[in-house]
Amino acid sequence: MAGSIQGVIDLRMEERIEFDEITQLSAVAMGEPGKRTFFLIIRQKGKWVRAWLEKELLEALAMATDQFLASIAQERRYFTPETTAEVAPEDVLAGLPSVELEIDQIALGYDQEKATLNFSVHGSGSQKVGWSELYCRVTLAQLKKLGVQARKICAAGRPRCLLCGLPIDPEGHICPKSN
Ligand SMILES: [Zn+2]
C-alpha cells in the first residue's frame, strides 16, 4: 500500500468513523426541479458532515426506513412518535461542513434500541478523507424523521407527464408519445 511508505499514517484508524451521539440527521434537496442535488446532514455536536447521494439512493433509504420501522414495531411493539417532514430552519446549517462525502451504499441495522446507519463513503470532489465507512447510531425517532423527509423530498420533484410518464421540465416537455 502506497500510504505505508513512511509508516506514519495508520490507515486502519481512519477507514471507519463512528458517530454515536447524533444531534441532527436531515435530508435536504438543493437547486431547481430537474437539477436538484441531494444530501444528508449528519451532525454530532459542533461537527457536521454533508453527505451527498443520488436521488435513487435517497428513495431507497426512505422505503427501507419505512419497512425497518414497521418490522421493529411488530417485533418489539415499539412505535416511533409522529414526526413532521418539515425541514426546520435549524436543520439547514450555515457555514461549511467539517467534511464533505459522497455516499455509495447504505446499510440499515439495529443495535441496543437504536438504529444503525452504515454508510459506505468516499471524499467529495478533491477532498481526501481516509474514511470509507461512516457508522452512525441514531434513535428510531431520528430515523423516522429522516425517512419522512426523504420521501417528501423525492415526491417533490418535477410533475410527471400523464402520457409518457417522463418528468416535465419547467421549460416545457417534448412528449415522445404525442408524435
Ligand atoms: Zn410526455
Side-chain angles (χ1 to χ4, degrees), residues 28 36-40 51-62 101-106 122 150 153-154:
V28 179
R36 295 190 302 165
T37 50
F38 306 88
F39 61 88
L40 305 183
W52 300 92
L53 73 177
E54 297 292 330
K55 188 187 177 193
E56 289 71 26
L57 191 53
L58 191 62
E59 271 174 333
L61 176 63
L101 300 169
E102 285 177 40
I103 299 172
D104 300 313
Q105 265 189 325
I106 306 172
H122 62 271
I153 285 171
C154 290

Side-chain angles (χ1 to χ4, degrees), residues 161-166 168 173-178:
C161 172
L162 291 175
L163 271 179
C164 68
L166 292 172
I168 298 172
H173 172 64
I174 299 161
C175 186
K177 285 270 170 91
S178 68

Side-chain angles (χ1 to χ4, degrees), residues 36 58 62 84-87 146-157:
R36 295 190 302 165
L58 191 62
T84 67
E86 302 307 322
V87 176
L146 179 71
V148 173
Q149 272 181 350
R151 190 159 3 102
K152 193 176 176 191
I153 285 171
C154 290

Side-chain angles (χ1 to χ4, degrees), residues 12-169:
R12 287 168 306 164
M13 292 291 289
E14 298 192 3
E15 270 172 16
R16 185 174 192 265
I17 188 158
E18 293 191 16
F19 279 10
D20 217 9
E21 287 171 58
I22 300 279
T23 47
Q24 184 194 343
L25 182 65
S26 309
V28 179
M30 261 182 19
E32 299 292 310
K35 298 186 185 75
R36 295 190 302 165
T37 50
F38 306 88
F39 61 88
L40 305 183
I41 292 172
I42 303 162
R43 184 184 199 185
Q44 178 157 295
K45 297 182 184 111
K47 183 174 185 176
W48 74 283
V49 172
R50 174 154 50 200
W52 300 92
L53 73 177
E54 297 292 330
K55 188 187 177 193
E56 289 71 26
L57 191 53
L58 191 62
E59 271 174 333
L61 176 63
M63 280 180 58
T65 296
D66 279 355
Q67 288 169 1
F68 176 82
L69 290 172
S71 73
I72 296 276
Q74 216 168 29
E75 277 173 32
R76 299 175 184 255
R77 303 186 181 280
Y78 179 95
F79 295 93
T80 48
E82 285 308 307
T83 179
T84 67
E86 302 307 322
V87 176
E90 67 268 21
D91 281 3
V92 182
L93 298 176
L96 290 172
S98 315
V99 179
E100 298 232 29
L101 300 169
E102 285 177 40
I103 299 172
D104 300 313
Q105 265 189 325
I106 306 172
L108 196 53
Y110 189 72
D111 176 37
Q112 294 170 28
E113 309 301 315
K114 279 192 167 185
T116 60
L117 284 161
N118 202 5
F119 300 102
S120 303
V121 298
H122 62 271
S124 177
S126 60
Q127 200 167 17
K128 290 230 171 22
V129 292
W131 323 337
S132 56
E133 253 182 69
L134 170 58
Y135 181 84
C136 302
R137 294 181 73 229
V138 303
T139 66
L140 297 182
Q142 283 175 325
L143 183 70
K144 181 169 184 181
K145 184 183 174 198
L146 179 71
V148 173
Q149 272 181 350
R151 190 159 3 102
K152 193 176 176 191
I153 285 171
C154 290
R158 292 166 289 175
R160 298 264 165 182
C161 172
L162 291 175
L163 271 179
C164 68
L166 292 172
I168 298 172
D169 287 318

